[in-house]
Amino acid sequence: MKLYPNCKINLGLNIVGKRADGYHNIETIFLPIPLSDCLEIEPAHEDSFVIDGRELDCSAQDNLVVKVLNMLRTEDIDVPPVAIKLTKNIPSGAGLGGGSSDAAFMMKGLNELFDLGLTEQQMAARVGRLGADCPVFIANKPVYDEMSLAFSLA
């Protein structure tokens, strides 16, 4: 299965307050755009994970794609071994949501490939534990959102 996790831009960013935990409450509109990575997921005899394209500053186990796979398995959802190839085109750290999109598309891909029976709401709730903007990519359409983000205004 070959998927194309796209990125998003934020139309407007209204900071509505700072929380005691260092997070800021924001309002924004997420708009999906066509710049995408390529995520390939295939059944395999054992798990493998390969990254091509742009270099990432994290280990394989810290990649959100692998975290989705591990999360499902720790919840006793039967996901057979898979070969994963991720070709990164979306720049990291640019606020485009590339890693979040990869995670959401991994969740949707595994759900379809192995007929896991998860609803959009169930998938969104799970990937939401990995990142605040991950659920946006489950429905993958323009959306107004109020959320909390950690960042500095300095």
Side-chain angles (χ1 to χ4, degrees), residues 4-10 28-39 54 56 63-65 68 86-106 108 127 130-138 140 147 149:
Y4 296 93
N6 57 284
C7 62
K8 54 88 179 159
I9 57 172
N10 293 56
T28 188
I29 296 173
F30 293 110
L31 180 66
I33 61 173
L35 175 62
S36 66
D37 291 338
C38 180
L39 177 63
R54 292 182 178 268
L56 295 178
N63 189 285
L64 293 178
V65 167
V68 166
L86 177 61
T87 303
K88 288 297 296 174
N89 299 310
I90 301 170
S92 298
L96 297 172
S100 297
S101 179
D102 294 339
F105 275 72
M106 180 69 170
K108 293 191 299 186
V127 296
L130 299 176
D133 62 351
C134 290
V136 169
F137 294 100
I138 296 293
N140 206 26
M147 61 191 303
L149 295 176

Side-chain angles (χ1 to χ4, degrees), residues 1-2 13 24 48 50 56 62 66 70 72 84 92 99 103 122 130 139 154:
M1 166 181 287
K2 194 179 278 194
L13 181 64
H24 291 76
S48 64
V50 175
L56 295 178
D62 289 332
V66 174
N70 292 335
L72 290 172
I84 306 164
S92 298
Q122 291 170 322
L130 299 176

Side-chain angles (χ1 to χ4, degrees), residues 68-121:
V68 166
L69 180 64
N70 292 335
M71 174 197 309
L72 290 172
R73 288 179 176 158
T74 61
E75 294 177 359
D76 293 326
I77 295 176
D78 187 24
V79 180
V82 290
I84 306 164
K85 180 179 179 187
L86 177 61
T87 303
K88 288 297 296 174
N89 299 310
I90 301 170
S92 298
L96 297 172
S100 297
S101 179
D102 294 339
F105 275 72
M106 180 69 170
M107 179 69 72
K108 293 191 299 186
L110 291 172
N111 191 47
E112 182 181 332
L113 188 62
F114 297 113
D115 197 23
L116 302 179
L118 299 172
T119 66
E120 278 195 2
Q121 292 79 14

